[in-house]
Amino acid sequence: MAAKQGTPASALRVLEEALGMDLTAAGDTAEAVAAEGAYYLEQVTITEASEDDYEYEEIPDDNVSIPEGEEDLAKAIQMVQEQATDTQILEQKTVLPSKQPTPEVIEDFLCNFLIKMGMTRTLDCFQSECKAREDLLKTQKERDFHRMHHKRIVQEKNKLINDLKGLKLHYASYEPTIRVLHEKHQALLKQKMLTSLERDRAVRQISGLQATLKHMEIGHNYHASEIRVIPNSEKENAPEGPTQKGLREAREKNKCKTKIKANTKDSEFPTDMQPNPNLYLCKENIGPAKFDYKLNNIFRLHELPVTCIIMHPRKDILVTCGEDRLWKLVGLPKGNVLLTGFGHTDWLSKCCFHPSGNKLATSSGDTTVKLWDLSKGNCILTFEGHNHAVWSCTWHSCGDFVASSSLDTTSKIWDVNSERCRCTLYGHTDSVNSIEFFPCSNTLLTGSADKSLSLWDARTGNCEQSLYGHMHSINDATFTPRGHMIASCDACGVTKLWDFRKLSPIVSIDIGPSPGNEVNFDSSGRVLAQASGSGVIHLLDLKSGQIHKLMGHESEAHTVVFSHDGEYLFSGGSDGTVRTWS
């Protein structure tokens, strides 16, 4: 029994000497003894010689030990933590142990010793402590790494914040300059417009003075042959070269043109306008509006997209224009081609009948407007003056004037009799996509890609009113047959109705997102048709606000028009076909 009691004590003593510290401070001995049985500690001298004959030096114990009988794991942990905290404060380091780490040789010796003594729980605690120490060191290294990484990220973030602040200040310094440049740009645009107006006025004055001089010369009956010097006989007998011959022919042609134009005068805008005949026609159409149109026939008239369809003012005949540079006069209801017009060098954009129905005006991408005699099918007059493609054209109700709108942001009024441009309308800042005369008046309506509608006095060329409300480019605008309302559509499918008398918007209908290419009223003014970029023909009932759809086009629909009685509807698409609905 004494030997049994002495063996553990001697083992603990050897273990204490090997570690150089008092193991009783950790409290593990008491727990091991309590688990293995009751033991008594005695001081026993070890008589066995060490295997390596090494004399171990006794190291004084400076650690604070816990008295026996009062061993408690919580208290031990608390004391170790307090000691570690004191050590950190003194040394100002984050390393927990104050002594050098235990070499692996000593750890192996302790493990072998504990295994040999059968102290398995102590061995487990020792190994767990070693593993925990390794994990702690690894965690500390990772913590330090992430802390440094976090500091670097914070520094980069602060640098980016400072850069953003500098960029904002730099951007703010440019805003006044941009504002000043924008104001200068607007002022230059106004100055340019005024200069253009002055130029046109000066050109008109010069033309008037030239005409006056020519009339004066004709009135005084000057004989130029008597004033000229008679050439020598040698010059008369000299052969005429090709250059002299060309100059002589050019002079003769100019003389002929001067004689012809000398007898023509500028047309006068009518002052006593006749009442709009459509007012009485609308009163007669008291039947219900028609919406149940069905696809009746398909006519393939052009090789390229159809851009415009218009009805003859009196006959069941329509004219189509296409991007194949042709216009065609088509008989109804069979769709037979009666006449084909050649002459433009680029795509056709629009066409319009003379009020009498015997002439046709066409506009084209070749920057010209041509007038055609439908009885012969040939071009009788070409107006040149636009700098870019001409989008639209329209006849005045008196038949003496044609108006055109162009991509060059201007509109022009042409005099058919004097064959010249009477006025250029400046004011839009982008392409003027549509133009139309108010029925039986001198008022013009234009729709532009600058998102505005403008009303002009054709006699003076002044813009009387502008209507704003569209958020996108306006593709088309038209009057009702009675003239009391305006319809317009834009590039995002929004259609707006405007009160022409009050010059204010009535309603806005979003039929997008496909663009609205053209709008047209029926003869009663109660139904509005819109040709959509999606290939759908939308019919808007102005009384109830309902929208009816006609599905039939396989591709984009460019144009739509009603017959005079409203029983038929004609639409043209990008596939070169004209579809008849009834």
Side-chain angles (χ1 to χ4, degrees):
M1 185 67 181
K4 188 176 182 180
Q5 293 176 355
T7 300
S10 61
L12 289 173
R13 185 62 182 175
V14 173
L15 182 61
E16 182 179 356
E17 291 178 356
L19 291 175
M21 61 182 181
D22 190 2
L23 291 179
T24 58
D28 294 337
T29 306
E31 294 178 2
V33 171
E36 297 177 3
Y39 292 91
Y40 297 95
L41 300 178
E42 293 181 1
Q43 187 174 1
V44 180
T45 304
I46 299 176
T47 56
E48 295 181 0
S50 177
E51 294 179 359
D52 53 2
D53 296 330
Y54 183 83
E55 294 182 359
Y56 294 94
E57 182 180 358
E58 185 175 356
I59 299 174
D61 187 10
D62 296 333
N63 295 333
V64 180
S65 61
I66 301 174
E68 296 182 28
E70 297 181 1
E71 294 179 359
D72 188 4
L73 179 60
K75 292 182 179 180
I77 293 173
Q78 183 178 0
M79 291 185 66
V80 170
Q81 290 178 351
E82 292 177 355
Q83 186 177 359
T85 303
D86 296 337
T87 304
Q88 290 178 359
I89 294 172
L90 292 174
E91 298 180 359
Q92 294 181 354
K93 294 182 180 180
T94 57
V95 182
L96 291 178
S98 60
K99 297 181 179 181
Q100 296 294 331
T102 307
E104 294 183 359
V105 178
I106 300 178
E107 292 181 358
D108 295 339
F109 170 77
L110 292 176
C111 289
N112 292 332
F113 177 80
L114 293 175
I115 291 171
K116 184 176 180 180
M117 293 298 149
M119 303 174 68
T120 57
R121 295 189 62 182
T122 305
L123 177 64
D124 294 340
C125 293
F126 179 74
Q127 291 179 345
S128 300
E129 183 179 353
C130 293
K131 185 177 179 181
R133 184 172 67 248
E134 293 176 358
D135 294 341
L136 177 63
L137 293 175
K138 183 179 179 181
T139 305
Q140 287 178 348
K141 291 180 180 179
E142 292 179 355
R143 180 202 63 188
D144 295 338
F145 171 77
H146 288 296
R147 183 177 294 170
M148 293 297 296
H149 182 67
H150 175 71
K151 290 181 179 179
R152 185 168 62 253
I153 295 297
V154 170
Q155 292 176 356
E156 292 177 357
K157 183 191 75 172
N158 294 332
K159 183 180 178 181
L160 289 175
I161 290 173
N162 294 330
D163 292 342
L164 286 174
K165 290 180 179 178
L167 289 174
K168 287 182 178 179
L169 294 174
H170 188 65
Y171 172 74
S173 64
Y174 276 104
E175 284 187 351
T177 307
I178 294 173
R179 192 180 302 110
V180 172
L181 291 176
H182 181 70
E183 293 175 356
K184 289 183 178 179
H185 175 68
Q186 295 295 332
L188 288 174
L189 286 177
K190 293 180 180 178
Q191 186 177 359
K192 177 184 175 183
M193 184 177 64
L194 293 174
T195 305
S196 301
L197 292 173
E198 292 177 358
R199 180 197 64 188
D200 293 339
R201 191 180 298 110
V203 169
R204 288 198 297 269
Q205 291 177 356
I206 292 172
S207 300
L209 291 173
Q210 290 177 351
T212 304
L213 289 174
K214 290 176 183 178
H215 288 303
M216 290 175 64
E217 290 177 358
I218 295 172
H220 286 82
N221 195 12
Y222 289 135
H223 300 284
S225 59
E226 296 179 359
I227 301 175
R228 292 177 182 174
V229 179
I230 300 173
N232 297 327
S233 58
E234 295 180 357
K235 293 183 180 180
E236 290 178 355
N237 296 328
E240 186 179 19
T243 304
Q244 288 79 6
K245 184 179 180 180
L247 291 173
R248 180 176 56 79
E249 292 177 354
R251 290 193 191 100
E252 291 177 356
K253 290 181 181 179
N254 290 332
K255 288 178 181 178
C256 295
K257 290 183 179 179
T258 303
K259 290 179 180 178
I260 294 172
K261 292 185 178 180
N263 297 325
T264 58
K265 296 182 180 180
D266 288 339
S267 303
E268 296 293 336
F269 283 97
T271 55
D272 298 330
M273 299 298 296
Q274 297 295 327
N276 186 0
N278 293 320
L279 293 174
Y280 306 102
L281 294 176
C282 294
K283 293 179 180 178
E284 293 175 0
N285 296 329
I286 57 175
K290 183 176 180 179
F291 299 98
D292 54 345
Y293 291 96
K294 294 182 180 179
L295 185 61
N296 185 20
N297 208 342
I298 300 176
F299 305 135
R300 183 168 294 278
L301 300 175
H302 294 271
E303 296 180 357
L304 293 177
V306 179
T307 57
C308 177
I309 301 175
I310 59 169
M311 290 294 300
H312 192 278
R314 294 180 179 86
K315 301 178 182 179
D316 289 335
I317 297 174
L318 58 84
V319 172
T320 64
C321 295
E323 293 186 6
D324 54 3
R325 309 176 184 178
L326 305 176
W327 60 265
K328 295 186 179 183
L329 190 68
V330 182
L332 297 175
K334 296 182 179 180
N336 52 319
V337 178
L338 304 177
L339 189 63
T340 301
F342 304 86
H344 283 288
T345 60
D346 210 335
W347 44 268
L348 272 70
S349 57
K350 201 79 172 180
C351 58
C352 184
F353 273 109
H354 188 274
S356 63
N358 57 5
K359 295 179 183 178
L360 183 73
T362 58
S363 58
S364 170
D366 60 8
T367 72
T368 66
V369 176
K370 290 182 179 292
L371 304 185
W372 308 80
D373 186 353
L374 296 181
S375 61
K376 299 178 181 179
N378 58 348
C379 177
I380 58 176
L381 187 59
T382 299
F383 293 121
E384 298 179 354
H386 283 291
N387 297 325
H388 293 285
V390 183
W391 286 120
S392 182
C393 60
T394 180
W395 281 92
H396 192 281
S397 57
C398 69
D400 294 331
F401 301 95
V402 174
S404 61
S405 62
S406 171
L407 180 64
D408 60 7
T409 72
T410 67
S411 300
K412 291 181 180 292
I413 300 175
W414 309 90
D415 193 327
V416 177
N417 295 322
S418 61
E419 302 179 6
R420 71 181 186 91
C421 177
R422 289 286 298 274
C423 184
T424 301
L425 310 181
Y426 297 94
H428 285 293
T429 59
D430 208 335
S431 171
V432 186
N433 297 330
S434 70
I435 189 167
E436 183 175 330
F437 271 107
F438 182 79
C440 301
S441 76
N442 297 319
T443 301
L444 267 173
L445 170 68
T446 58
S448 171
D450 62 7
K451 310 171 190 177
S452 69
L453 297 170
S454 294
L455 295 167
W456 308 79
D457 188 342
R459 297 167 295 183
T460 61
N462 296 328
C463 180
E464 302 296 338
Q465 184 70 33
S466 293
L467 304 177
Y468 301 95
H470 280 280
M471 302 301 293
H472 304 277
S473 170
I474 298 175
N475 290 339
D476 190 34
T478 184
F479 290 102
T480 58
R482 294 174 56 190
H484 68 290
M485 194 160 48
I486 299 171
S488 58
C489 62
D490 64 21
C492 278
V494 176
T495 299
K496 287 183 176 292
L497 297 177
W498 311 79
D499 190 335
F500 179 62
R501 293 166 293 189
K502 298 180 180 179
L503 297 177
S504 61
I506 299 175
V507 68
S508 179
I509 306 104
D510 189 355
I511 321 178
S514 299
N517 294 324
E518 187 176 283
V519 286
N520 260 316
F521 290 95
D522 67 344
S523 57
S524 67
R526 293 178 294 175
V527 182
L528 177 67
Q530 184 213 55
S532 173
S534 61
V536 180
I537 305 298
H538 297 94
L539 301 179
L540 174 62
D541 186 354
L542 300 184
K543 185 176 181 181
S544 64
Q546 294 182 353
I547 299 176
H548 305 266
K549 296 182 180 180
L550 302 182
M551 314 287 289
H553 280 278
E554 298 176 357
S555 57
E556 186 174 0
H558 286 169
T559 178
V560 61
V561 66
F562 288 94
S563 63
H564 297 301
D565 56 4
E567 293 296 325
Y568 292 90
L569 185 142
F570 305 96
S571 59
S574 60
D575 55 359
T577 62
V578 174
R579 297 173 189 260
T580 304
W581 309 78
S582 61

